[in-house]
Structures are given as structure tokens and as C-alpha cells.
Amino acid sequence: MRLLLLTNRDFASYTALERLRPLLQSQNIRVLQTTQVGMPQAVPGALRDLAKHEQGLLKAQLRLSGGADWPAVQNALSQQLAVPITTVAGVNQGKGFEILQSFQPDLMVSIRFGSILQPRAISVPSLGVINLHSGLLPDYRGVMATFWSLLHGRSHYGYSIHDIVDAGIDTGPIIQRETLPLDRKKDYLSQLLTLYQEAVPALARVIDQREQQGRPKCWSKDAEAGRYYSTPTESDLAQFNDLGLRLF
């Protein structure tokens, strides 16, 4: 099966890929990465610090110097995973769509991809598009669901695996949803990484099931409710800090 993985340039994406790759030995895999989630905008300083910390972790894991540029990081990552990796702005047009059309994947899987998929791209894979969302749907649609769960004082968080059937954000039919205990004494990043360690084996089983059973003939609409959460603002991050919570 030809499998196109859509990811992002962050340490959580690396964690997911590193854990998923050995579980997909029989697949013909290609990876496309975005540089960020959403449109360019002013990023709060705390999130810039988090991104810098994650890049340091990634370079250390790949045994690269702190001054290594992204092409060097991407090349090392490609060699470690033994898959071709290409940076794209998205897959709806331009280079990303050209690669999508050329590769003709049977299945497309999104893990932290930074661009919203449109019908043009969604229609290409014969077995559809699956997304691993780092939040409990439908309650936490959007980005950084673990952050928002901590901020809201929840005792649990979790992940959802769902189909992408249109341009809605995290609104597709839910395939699997799992709850994990949330520890307010632990930082955001460590709990996010724990989430992916738990979620990736489940995702691999869903991928295998889709290959064996094919695309569902009908779709439920059980993830359309809930609330969409955007990137935290300076005010959100200040409140997070005031509660004694840490990003990393």
C-alpha cells in the first residue's frame, strides 16, 4: 500500500514518526512536512521558546549540532526513518499537490499537518484520509488540545483518530477515541509526547484495518459538535503560567 504521511516540523511529529515507522514495514511510505500550523502570524514569546526547545530536542535525538539548519535536520530524519521527506506549504496546490498526484497514495494520514485539506486533495487517496488528533473530539477541536485541557483544569485528556471527509477542522467521523489521565504537575510537552506514544500503535492498527477492509461505505457525523480552539494568546499563556503550569 502506498501511504502518504502528512506531518509538521516539531518534536511531537518526530516522536510519532519514529514510533510509527517500524509498525509499517510493508508500506511504501512518503512524508510531507509543513513548517508550521496555520497561517503566519505573531507567535507569543512562550510558544517561540517552546518551538526552540523542541528543535533542540530534535537535533539532539538526531545527533546533530545545535547550529544545524533545517535541510540537515530533514536529511538526517529521512535517513533515520528510511523514507523520503519533503517540505511543502500544503497539499491542495503547488508542489505538495504535484507530489500527491504523482505518488497516488492509497491512504493519506495526517499527524500535526499544518494545512487544512481541501476536497481536491482529499479525493485523491482511494482509501481516504485519516487524522490523528491530539485531543478528545468533539470537545477539543483545533490546536494544542493538551494545553487547553490543562488550562481548563481537566483530570484527563486523550487522542482521537478520525476520517477527514471535507475541509472541516477535526469534524470527520471518529474511528477511535481514547482517554488518558492528565497530571497537572507535569509539563505540557511531556504529556503531549506521552499521548503520541500511546496513540501511534492504535493508529497503526487503524491503518492496517483500512488496508484490509477498505474505505467505509457510509459516514457518521459524530464529531461536528464541540468547540474549536486556536493558538493560545499571550493572555492565555499568562493565565497558564499563573496556575503554576509549564509548557516544558
Side-chain angles (χ1 to χ4, degrees):
M1 180 172 73
R2 293 184 303 279
L3 179 63
L4 186 62
L5 299 178
L6 309 178
T7 68
N8 195 42
R9 283 186 186 178
D10 55 34
F11 192 67
S13 293
Y14 165 79
T15 298
L17 284 174
E18 182 187 39
R19 192 166 178 82
L20 182 62
R21 182 66 183 96
L23 303 177
L24 302 174
Q25 292 292 342
S26 64
Q27 313 298 347
N28 178 9
I29 299 173
R30 180 153 191 177
V31 177
L32 299 182
Q33 287 187 324
T34 46
T35 59
Q36 62 184 17
V37 176
M39 299 297 292
Q41 58 184 346
V43 178
L47 295 186
R48 290 198 301 271
D49 291 341
L50 173 62
K52 183 177 180 180
H53 175 69
E54 289 192 52
Q55 289 301 305
L57 292 174
L58 179 55
K59 291 174 184 179
Q61 197 74 11
L62 295 171
R63 298 183 179 180
L64 297 172
S65 69
D69 59 12
W70 182 255
V73 173
Q74 190 173 76
N75 181 62
L77 181 58
S78 179
Q79 290 186 21
Q80 184 191 75
L81 299 176
V83 294
I85 300 175
T86 307
T87 298
V88 297
V91 292
N92 300 312
Q93 58 187 357
K95 181 172 70 172
F97 187 71
E98 290 174 3
I99 293 173
L100 172 60
Q101 280 193 311
S102 175
F103 187 57
Q104 282 294 303
D106 299 295
L107 179 66
M108 196 150 58
V109 176
S110 174
I111 308 173
R112 305 179 66 80
F113 197 59
S115 174
I116 299 171
L117 274 63
Q118 300 296 328
R120 183 188 191 197
I122 295 170
S123 66
V124 174
S126 59
L127 297 178
V129 184
I130 293 171
N131 181 45
L132 171 55
H133 176 64
S134 60
L136 293 172
L137 295 176
D139 300 331
Y140 284 93
R141 296 167 47 227
V143 300
M144 294 185 68
T146 301
F147 169 90
W148 293 110
S149 297
L150 282 165
L151 186 63
H152 296 161
R154 298 297 177 91
S155 62
H156 61 275
Y157 71 137
Y159 65 87
S160 305
I161 301 172
H162 70 97
D163 279 290
I164 296 178
V165 296
D166 55 34
I169 301 176
D170 302 324
T171 56
I174 296 172
I175 302 169
Q176 185 171 338
R177 181 179 185 271
E178 295 294 337
T179 299
L180 305 172
L182 192 58
D183 188 345
R184 295 174 63 78
K185 294 180 181 179
K186 294 183 179 180
D187 63 78
Y188 157 79
L189 180 59
S190 65
Q191 295 192 88
L192 178 63
L193 298 180
T194 296
L195 181 150
Y196 281 108
Q197 290 171 359
E198 295 291 330
V200 166
L203 175 63
R205 290 191 292 271
V206 169
I207 291 171
D208 181 66
Q209 182 182 52
R210 183 59 57 91
E211 181 180 15
Q212 299 302 320
Q213 299 180 7
R215 190 170 183 167
K217 295 181 179 179
C218 61
W219 305 100
S220 64
K221 290 292 183 180
D222 48 5
E224 291 187 332
R227 175 179 170 183
Y228 173 80
Y229 290 90
S230 186
T231 303
T233 64
E234 293 280 9
S235 177
D236 296 323
L237 290 160
Q239 183 182 357
F240 191 81
N241 185 66
D242 289 344
L243 291 172
L245 299 169
R246 297 173 294 119
L247 289 175
F248 61 91

Short mmCIF file of all heavy atoms in Angstrom, two decimals, residues 92 97 100 108 116-125 129 164-168:
data_model
loop_
_atom_site.label_atom_id
_atom_site.label_comp_id
_atom_site.label_asym_id
_atom_site.label_seq_id
_atom_site.Cartn_x
_atom_site.Cartn_y
_atom_site.Cartn_z
N ASN A 92 -2.88 21.08 -1.25
CA ASN A 92 -4.04 21.46 -2.06
C ASN A 92 -3.66 22.05 -3.41
O ASN A 92 -4.48 22.09 -4.33
CB ASN A 92 -4.90 22.47 -1.29
CG ASN A 92 -5.40 21.90 0.02
OD1 ASN A 92 -5.93 20.80 0.07
ND2 ASN A 92 -5.24 22.66 1.11
N PHE A 97 0.66 19.36 -4.01
CA PHE A 97 -0.37 18.65 -4.78
C PHE A 97 0.27 17.86 -5.92
O PHE A 97 -0.20 16.75 -6.25
CB PHE A 97 -1.39 19.64 -5.34
CG PHE A 97 -2.56 18.96 -6.02
CD1 PHE A 97 -3.51 18.28 -5.27
CD2 PHE A 97 -2.70 19.00 -7.39
CE1 PHE A 97 -4.58 17.64 -5.89
CE2 PHE A 97 -3.77 18.37 -8.02
CZ PHE A 97 -4.71 17.68 -7.26
N LEU A 100 1.50 14.73 -4.39
CA LEU A 100 0.33 13.90 -4.08
C LEU A 100 -0.17 13.19 -5.33
O LEU A 100 -0.43 11.98 -5.31
CB LEU A 100 -0.77 14.78 -3.48
CG LEU A 100 -2.15 14.14 -3.26
CD1 LEU A 100 -2.06 12.96 -2.32
CD2 LEU A 100 -3.13 15.19 -2.72
N MET A 108 -3.92 8.42 2.94
CA MET A 108 -3.18 9.57 3.44
C MET A 108 -3.47 9.69 4.94
O MET A 108 -4.61 9.58 5.37
CB MET A 108 -3.62 10.84 2.69
CG MET A 108 -2.70 12.02 2.84
SD MET A 108 -2.74 13.11 1.37
CE MET A 108 -4.49 13.56 1.28
N ILE A 116 -4.97 22.95 6.20
CA ILE A 116 -6.29 22.33 6.10
C ILE A 116 -6.46 21.69 4.73
O ILE A 116 -6.23 22.33 3.70
CB ILE A 116 -7.40 23.37 6.33
CG1 ILE A 116 -7.27 23.97 7.73
CG2 ILE A 116 -8.78 22.75 6.15
CD1 ILE A 116 -8.19 25.15 7.97
N LEU A 117 -6.83 20.44 4.70
CA LEU A 117 -7.01 19.73 3.44
C LEU A 117 -8.34 20.13 2.79
O LEU A 117 -9.36 20.24 3.46
CB LEU A 117 -6.97 18.22 3.65
CG LEU A 117 -5.59 17.57 3.63
CD1 LEU A 117 -4.71 18.08 4.77
CD2 LEU A 117 -5.72 16.06 3.71
N GLN A 118 -8.30 20.31 1.49
CA GLN A 118 -9.48 20.66 0.71
C GLN A 118 -9.94 19.45 -0.11
O GLN A 118 -9.18 18.49 -0.30
CB GLN A 118 -9.17 21.84 -0.22
CG GLN A 118 -8.74 23.09 0.51
CD GLN A 118 -9.84 23.67 1.40
OE1 GLN A 118 -11.03 23.56 1.07
NE2 GLN A 118 -9.45 24.30 2.50
N PRO A 119 -11.20 19.46 -0.60
CA PRO A 119 -11.73 18.32 -1.34
C PRO A 119 -10.85 17.83 -2.48
O PRO A 119 -10.77 16.63 -2.74
CB PRO A 119 -13.07 18.85 -1.86
CG PRO A 119 -13.49 19.83 -0.82
CD PRO A 119 -12.22 20.51 -0.38
N ARG A 120 -10.17 18.74 -3.15
CA ARG A 120 -9.30 18.36 -4.27
C ARG A 120 -8.24 17.35 -3.84
O ARG A 120 -7.97 16.38 -4.54
CB ARG A 120 -8.63 19.62 -4.83
CG ARG A 120 -7.76 19.37 -6.05
CD ARG A 120 -6.98 20.63 -6.41
NE ARG A 120 -6.34 20.52 -7.70
CZ ARG A 120 -5.35 21.30 -8.12
NH1 ARG A 120 -4.92 22.28 -7.31
NH2 ARG A 120 -4.81 21.15 -9.30
N ALA A 121 -7.63 17.59 -2.69
CA ALA A 121 -6.60 16.68 -2.18
C ALA A 121 -7.22 15.45 -1.52
O ALA A 121 -6.73 14.32 -1.68
CB ALA A 121 -5.70 17.41 -1.20
N ILE A 122 -8.30 15.65 -0.78
CA ILE A 122 -8.95 14.55 -0.06
C ILE A 122 -9.42 13.46 -1.01
O ILE A 122 -9.41 12.27 -0.66
CB ILE A 122 -10.14 15.10 0.77
CG1 ILE A 122 -9.63 16.05 1.86
CG2 ILE A 122 -10.96 13.98 1.39
CD1 ILE A 122 -10.73 16.83 2.56
N SER A 123 -9.79 13.84 -2.22
CA SER A 123 -10.36 12.88 -3.17
C SER A 123 -9.32 11.97 -3.81
O SER A 123 -9.67 10.97 -4.44
CB SER A 123 -11.12 13.62 -4.28
OG SER A 123 -10.22 14.39 -5.08
N VAL A 124 -8.03 12.28 -3.66
CA VAL A 124 -7.01 11.50 -4.36
C VAL A 124 -6.82 10.09 -3.79
O VAL A 124 -6.87 9.11 -4.53
CB VAL A 124 -5.66 12.27 -4.37
CG1 VAL A 124 -4.56 11.40 -4.97
CG2 VAL A 124 -5.79 13.57 -5.17
N PRO A 125 -6.60 9.90 -2.48
CA PRO A 125 -6.37 8.55 -1.96
C PRO A 125 -7.64 7.69 -2.04
O PRO A 125 -8.70 8.10 -1.56
CB PRO A 125 -5.96 8.78 -0.51
CG PRO A 125 -5.65 10.23 -0.39
CD PRO A 125 -6.49 10.91 -1.40
N VAL A 129 -8.61 9.61 3.91
CA VAL A 129 -7.65 10.36 4.70
C VAL A 129 -7.98 10.20 6.18
O VAL A 129 -9.12 10.40 6.59
CB VAL A 129 -7.66 11.86 4.34
CG1 VAL A 129 -6.57 12.60 5.11
CG2 VAL A 129 -7.51 12.08 2.84
N ILE A 164 -10.97 12.29 7.62
CA ILE A 164 -11.15 13.62 7.05
C ILE A 164 -11.95 13.46 5.77
O ILE A 164 -11.49 12.80 4.82
CB ILE A 164 -9.80 14.30 6.76
CG1 ILE A 164 -9.02 14.54 8.06
CG2 ILE A 164 -10.01 15.61 6.01
CD1 ILE A 164 -7.65 15.15 7.86
N VAL A 165 -13.14 14.01 5.75
CA VAL A 165 -14.01 13.84 4.58
C VAL A 165 -14.33 15.16 3.88
O VAL A 165 -14.90 15.16 2.79
CB VAL A 165 -15.32 13.13 4.98
CG1 VAL A 165 -15.03 11.72 5.48
CG2 VAL A 165 -16.07 13.92 6.05
N ASP A 166 -13.98 16.28 4.52
CA ASP A 166 -14.20 17.59 3.91
C ASP A 166 -13.24 18.58 4.55
O ASP A 166 -12.34 18.19 5.30
CB ASP A 166 -15.67 18.03 4.07
CG ASP A 166 -16.13 18.02 5.52
OD1 ASP A 166 -15.31 18.31 6.44
OD2 ASP A 166 -17.31 17.71 5.77
N ALA A 167 -13.42 19.87 4.28
CA ALA A 167 -12.50 20.89 4.76
C ALA A 167 -12.77 21.32 6.20
O ALA A 167 -12.11 22.22 6.71
CB ALA A 167 -12.55 22.11 3.84
N GLY A 168 -13.71 20.68 6.87
CA GLY A 168 -13.96 20.99 8.27
C GLY A 168 -12.77 20.62 9.13
O GLY A 168 -12.07 19.64 8.85
#
